[in-house]
Amino acid sequence: MRDYKWLHEFCLNRFGSAKALEAMLPQPRSDAELRALSDDRYLSLISLRIFRAGLKHSLVDAKWPAFEEVFFGFDPEKVVLMGAERLENLMQDARLIRHLGKLKSVPRNAQFILDVRREKGSFGALVADWPVSDIVGLWKYLAKHGSQLGGLSAPRFLRMVGKDTFVPTDDTVAALKAQGVIDKAPTSLKDLAAVQAAFNQWQAESGRPLCQLSVMLAHTVNH
């Protein structure tokens, strides 16, 4: 595995200047900002991520005001009371994406958020306090306790809310394979640990957040 210096030089050459490189890199939210985000916004973003999966994002985003309306602004205390009959009725609402499995995930994730609130005080506290040196641990926690948050949904949701994380996209996985970190998409605990260790090393060398390193790494893949 090559060090951060190589990665930085490669990206400088690709984008032509440090200014151009920095302009395309994401910025994570601070712990204070993550903690301040309300539970209803976390539920909305979890749900948005789930409905975006497999669909054109702009299509889902255009319908999201209707989702906000029918799910009571994603207030978890109200959403958790939505029963099966209510969700079945939503399948008749043409303003929505009528996928029953995804609709059912909303009250389930509302309960998840309320469970976390009882333990941590807020969902934002869980997200803010989780160390990025074990961000794959947060992915696993979300997948285990949430609904429909497996695969890339957990890291993509965290990227959406601004929690610092890498995302194992096809390009990032290809780059990690080229660097000898893994030999296939990281799904096993062993491979996820190897990827986390690689990103932790690059972060220690560079001082950059994981999200920036992830994007930089993806751009080392030739198309």
Side-chain angles (χ1 to χ4, degrees):
M1 184 180 81
R2 290 188 252 190
D3 60 14
Y4 170 73
K5 183 179 179 181
W6 167 82
L7 178 60
H8 185 244
E9 290 179 351
F10 184 101
C11 289
L12 277 180
N13 288 333
R14 176 152 189 177
F15 289 96
S17 70
K19 183 178 180 180
L21 171 60
E22 297 301 329
M24 53 77 62
L25 294 176
Q27 292 289 342
R29 279 180 165 155
S30 69
D31 290 346
E33 289 172 321
L34 292 168
R35 194 181 297 276
L37 198 63
S38 60
D39 286 344
D40 61 278
R41 292 305 86 202
Y42 277 108
L43 181 57
S44 178
L45 287 165
I46 287 174
S47 304
L48 179 59
R49 170 55 219 157
I50 289 168
F51 277 91
R52 276 180 174 180
L55 295 174
K56 189 174 182 180
H57 291 186
S58 59
L59 169 69
V60 181
D61 295 353
K63 290 177 175 287
W64 209 245
F67 278 86
E68 290 279 352
E69 178 185 332
V70 301
F71 284 108
F72 310 105
F74 289 97
D75 181 338
E77 293 185 346
K78 294 179 180 178
V79 172
V80 77
L81 300 175
M82 297 176 72
E85 184 177 354
R86 169 77 174 174
L87 296 173
E88 290 281 358
N89 289 338
L90 292 182
M91 289 290 289
Q92 311 307 315
D93 192 331
R95 299 175 301 160
L96 307 178
I97 294 163
R98 291 173 284 184
H99 185 296
L100 186 58
K102 292 183 177 184
L103 289 169
K104 286 180 176 179
S105 76
V106 183
R108 289 171 182 165
N109 283 321
Q111 184 62 62
F112 171 39
I113 284 176
L114 292 174
D115 291 343
V116 170
R117 180 193 291 179
R118 279 192 288 272
E119 181 181 351
K120 304 287 187 182
S122 70
F123 198 80
L126 169 75
V127 175
D129 291 345
W130 201 286
V132 297
S133 58
D134 179 37
I135 200 63
V136 297
L138 183 53
W139 300 356
K140 290 181 283 186
Y141 182 91
L142 294 171
K144 179 179 179 181
H145 297 284
S147 176
Q148 298 211 21
L149 288 174
L152 289 182
S153 286
R156 288 195 185 280
F157 155 68
L158 292 173
R159 178 67 62 81
M160 287 166 66
V161 301
K163 175 68 174 179
D164 190 20
T165 185
F166 56 89
V167 180
T169 62
D170 290 345
D171 283 351
T172 302
V173 169
L176 290 166
K177 288 165 68 175
Q179 293 301 309
V181 176
I182 49 175
D183 56 14
K184 60 184 184 301
T187 54
S188 68
L189 294 179
K190 179 182 177 182
D191 285 346
L192 286 169
V195 174
Q196 179 79 69
F199 273 97
N200 288 351
Q201 178 181 320
W202 288 320
Q203 184 177 51
E205 292 171 351
S206 68
R208 286 189 180 276
L210 301 180
C211 59
Q212 294 187 0
L213 294 166
S214 180
V215 170
M216 292 172 70
L217 194 65
H219 278 96
T220 66
V221 177
N222 292 321
H223 294 282

